[in-house]
Structures are given as structure tokens and as C-alpha cells.
Amino acid sequence: MKIAVLGGDGFVGWPTSLHLSARGHEVHILDNLSRRWIDTELGVQSLTPMDSIQERTRIWHQETGRRIRFHLIDLARDYDVLKAWLAEHRPDAIVHFAEQRAAPYSMKSDRHKNYTVNNNTNATHNLLNAMTEIGLDAHLVHLGTMGVYGYSSVGAAIPEGYLPVGVETLGGDTATLEVLYPANPGSIYHMTKCLDQLLFQFYAKNDGVRITDLHQGIVWGTHTEETKLHPQLINRFDYDGDYGTVLNRFLIQAAIGYPLTVHGTGGQTRAFIHIQDSVRCIELALNNPPKRGDRVEVFNQMTETHRVRDLAELVARMTDAKVAYLPNPRKEAAENELVVKNDKFLALGLNPITLAEGLLSEVMDVAKKFSYRVDRSRIPAVSAWTKDIAPTVERDPEGKRLKSVS
């Protein structure tokens, strides 16, 4: 297939682009490189050294003989450019990662909230609008989030997208129908993914756009089979308080002797998936498209669930690291259960990578190798969800701030 990977320079977009190219697909990356500009804004860089996207694709061609082509396009702002590109190239499939992906970053300030809503919602709508306008019958695979469901639980497993409900009719009978699982976003970022869902529902119903929405858990790990082929193909590794995912953050903290930062009780249960499984799931989704006129296909793209404090204790046992329980900058329940159905990917043949110590050690090795690149001041999670929470945020988990004598 000819596949457009939107946001193909990112944490999951890059290894996905390599994975699809390695399997013989013609891959085009469309990206505005905004994630690199955000690194500059935040004054932090990927733990792993990243070359330019042009150099990365050159090395890929050198190592494999396959080409990945890069196109600098801002999906949220350059509608006419995007539409013209799609009309010229007419890809068979589109993988949509081109959204600001960090919940803490989306909550930093009113400016960051506006940016996240404008970027994410406009990018998704511009894409759907352009596909419809030019009559492009491409399969759209979108990387969503488990966060559209929220983290509360009623003691039942979260289904894959749709919830069967019974509604009492005027005649007193019970009618059964399936509705989108009620959205319960926990941040501005998650809210934009909920808006994506509604856009997808409309364009699938109104214009017959073929769409698969992947509700993904927290991604951990850094290597895939393809990123290991050459040092310059290495994936990015975020460790800072805005973009670092919780398990990767614990591993880098342990590698540099930093306390493992657990916020609140650590009783939050989260869904997880290894980066290698993430790219495999995207391939499986691409190979199993819905038919034109079908409703949006939804997969829960996760392989296991864990409590945050249990992960911290696991890493602490492996590494003798200390665990620091800090005030929670997020507005969320202190404890929650999370039971999730992921039957569809298992039925398609996914053999999940689970949280094995060997793979955790692999990530630790990466963390130790590049630990000299860590800016310890960027590790704390300091983006507060509300103005009331902001004064409670702990900005010095190591206790190194000078104390006044009084």
C-alpha cells in the first residue's frame, strides 16, 4: 500500500513508519516537526540523540534500500496544501498521529490549552474534510487514547468503543442499541480525542469514510526491531514531566539515582502497551479495514493494566531506587480500577509483550547509556490541572533546594 503517516516524526509515528516500510509499503511522512519545537520551548531534549528527519530517512535508505519520503506540512493550518498533497498522491491508507499528545502539556496554561484544541481538532477535521472533498477512499487509522473512557469504573469491563444499552420505549418495552461509550476525559488533550470520536462518527455516517480508531494505553519501551538496525534510527525517549510516560520515567529516574516520583497514593490503574506491540497493532488495523458505509471500527490498543505504585515498587526492587510519594498535580480519583476488553487484536493474532524484567532492563540500559543527557531540573511533573492545585505541586523531589533559616 501507499501509506501516509501523519506525525511520522514522533514517538510512535517514527517506529510505525519504519515498521510499515520494512514490510514493503510505500511510506510518506507528513509532519510539521512541532514536537521538536516543543522540546525547544520546554528547554529539554529527547534522552536519546535524534538526528533530523531527513538524516533519519537517509540512514533508513542506506541500511535497507527502502525509501521513506518526508513532506513538511502543518495539517492544522495548511488545509489547501494538505488537500493538494492528498489529491496528488492518493494514498491507500492514512495513519493519523499528528496531534499534541501530552496531557500535562495541554494543562500548562491557557495558551497550551488553546494550542492543543486548535492543533488537534483542526488537524483531524482538515484531514476528514479534505478526504471527502477530493473523494479519497483511503482507510484512516487514528491513534486515539484509552483516556476517552476516563479511569472510573463501575465494576464492568470497558468495551471496545461501543456500549450496549437498553432504553425504555413509549410503549413500555425495552429497545436495545449500541452507543459510543460515554466520554469522560481527564485533560484538555483527552478532551480533543473525544472530539475526534464525534468527528469520525459524523464523517463515517455522512460520507462513508472508512475509519479505525485505536484507543491506546500508555506506551513504554523505546526499541523496535527496526529502530535497532542502526544507532541513528533510535526512537525518541521522553523523560520530562510533560512528555515522559510513567514507566519510562521510573526507569530513567532509577538509572540516575533520582527518586521514583509517584503522585498521590499511586492507586491510579493505567493501561499499558509496549512500543513494539503498538506498531504491530497499527499494522493489524491497516490489514483489516472496515467497509465503506460501516460504522467507525474501534480497538482497545493495550495489553495489560497496572497500578502506578505497583510499577514503582517493581522498578525499586530491580534497582534499589527510593520511591517518593508526592502531591498529585492532576485532578483525578486517588484510586481506581480499570478492566478493559482487547479481544479484537488478540483475535487478529497479536501475541502481547508483557511487562517482563528483561525488557525493563533493556530500557534501563538505554537510560544509563544516555544518562549524561538528562537535565534533572526537567524531571518533576509541575503542570497543575487547576489553579487550586498549583501551589501544592512539588518542584524539588530530591530536596536540593536551599532552605531558608527561620
Side-chain angles (χ1 to χ4, degrees):
M1 290 186 285
K2 180 189 287 188
I3 302 175
V5 181
L6 317 181
D9 188 46
F11 173 51
V12 185
W14 174 245
T16 297
S17 299
L18 299 187
H19 185 79
L20 296 174
S21 178
R23 275 141 189 81
H25 300 294
E26 179 186 332
V27 175
H28 294 258
I29 289 175
L30 281 65
D31 204 303
N32 67 350
L33 306 182
S34 61
R35 183 65 191 86
R36 295 176 185 253
W37 286 105
I38 290 172
D39 277 345
T40 302
E41 174 204 345
L42 297 178
V44 70
Q45 59 185 346
S46 165
L47 177 72
T48 49
M50 285 170 52
D51 285 310
S52 69
I53 185 65
Q54 292 87 350
E55 179 66 4
R56 288 170 123 185
T57 55
R58 186 190 71 80
I59 293 293
W60 177 249
H61 177 61
Q62 170 189 295
E63 294 300 305
T64 67
R66 302 184 183 279
R67 289 199 182 278
I68 295 176
R69 289 171 172 80
F70 169 66
H71 311 270
L72 184 64
I73 299 177
D74 189 325
L75 271 68
R77 296 181 178 181
D78 299 338
Y79 173 74
D80 288 334
V81 176
L82 170 64
K83 184 171 74 168
W85 189 92
L86 292 172
E88 177 186 352
H89 292 274
R90 304 197 75 85
D92 303 299
I94 299 170
V95 186
H96 178 22
F97 298 104
E99 296 181 89
Q100 192 290 105
R101 69 167 179 84
Y105 184 85
S106 77
M107 302 298 289
K108 286 182 79 66
S109 71
D110 56 347
R111 180 176 68 83
H112 293 88
K113 291 175 182 178
N114 282 342
Y115 169 74
T116 301
V117 171
N118 291 336
N119 182 81
N120 292 8
T121 307
N122 284 341
T124 298
H125 186 257
N126 282 350
L127 174 61
L128 292 164
N129 196 14
M131 290 174 68
T132 301
E133 184 66 19
I134 65 173
L136 177 62
D137 183 26
H139 176 205
L140 171 58
V141 175
H142 171 254
L143 197 76
T145 172
M146 287 291 301
V148 299
Y149 301 124
Y151 291 109
S152 60
S153 175
V154 293
I158 292 175
E160 301 202 74
Y162 298 95
L163 181 69
V165 296
V167 180
E168 186 176 346
T169 67
L170 293 176
D173 298 323
T174 299
T176 302
L177 68 158
E178 285 194 315
V179 298
L180 267 181
Y181 194 90
N184 187 19
S187 72
I188 292 293
Y189 156 72
H190 292 107
M191 185 193 71
T192 64
K193 297 290 190 173
C194 295
L195 296 175
D196 285 343
Q197 284 194 122
L198 295 178
L199 290 170
F200 295 146
Q201 293 291 317
F202 175 80
Y203 275 94
K205 175 186 69 174
N206 194 67
D207 299 291
V209 180
R210 296 183 294 128
I211 302 169
T212 299
D213 198 9
L214 306 176
H215 292 172
Q216 180 163 259
I218 296 170
V219 182
W220 66 282
T222 186
H223 287 311
T224 64
E225 293 169 13
E226 291 78 27
T227 63
K228 292 177 184 177
L229 293 177
H230 190 280
Q232 287 174 272
L233 296 176
I234 196 167
N235 200 21
R236 73 176 299 129
F237 188 120
D238 298 307
Y239 65 87
D240 63 284
D242 285 317
Y243 276 88
T245 57
V246 61
L247 182 52
N248 279 1
R249 272 171 54 80
F250 285 162
L251 292 166
I252 183 60
Q253 288 168 350
I256 65 170
Y258 197 100
L260 309 185
T261 52
V262 176
H263 296 96
T265 67
Q268 309 93 332
T269 305
R270 300 289 193 250
F272 291 86
I273 186 168
H274 189 272
I275 185 73
Q276 181 70 65
D277 276 347
S278 187
V279 300
R280 285 175 180 152
C281 285
I282 291 159
E283 181 189 12
L284 286 170
L286 285 167
N287 290 338
N288 293 274
K291 295 183 178 63
R292 191 168 179 83
D294 286 355
R295 71 179 183 180
V296 177
E297 181 67 83
V298 180
F299 290 81
N300 288 339
Q301 188 162 304
M302 50 73 65
T303 53
E304 54 192 328
T305 60
H306 297 278
R307 285 194 190 277
V308 171
R309 62 170 171 256
D310 293 340
L311 292 178
E313 288 165 7
L314 171 63
V315 175
R317 285 196 302 272
M318 282 176 58
T319 62
D320 295 324
K322 300 221 175 341
V323 180
Y325 286 86
L326 308 176
N328 193 349
R330 301 185 182 219
K331 187 174 183 178
E332 62 182 352
E335 307 267 334
N336 74 276
E337 302 297 330
L338 185 64
V339 182
V340 183
K341 289 186 177 178
N342 64 341
D343 303 334
K344 291 182 181 178
F345 275 131
L346 297 178
L348 291 176
L350 179 68
N351 184 19
I353 296 170
T354 52
L355 209 77
E357 290 205 7
L359 284 170
L360 292 174
S361 297
E362 181 182 88
V363 181
M364 279 284 293
D365 290 342
V366 174
K368 288 175 180 175
K369 179 178 179 180
F370 296 108
S371 61
Y372 67 92
R373 291 170 55 85
V374 172
D375 179 348
R376 300 175 86 96
S377 71
R378 302 299 175 183
I379 293 177
V382 297
S383 295
W385 260 231
T386 68
K387 294 184 186 301
D388 292 337
I389 293 173
T392 70
V393 171
E394 176 57 69
R395 298 172 181 271
D396 183 31
E398 291 188 282
K400 291 189 172 182
R401 189 187 304 116
L402 288 173
K403 303 293 192 293
S404 60
V405 178
S406 58

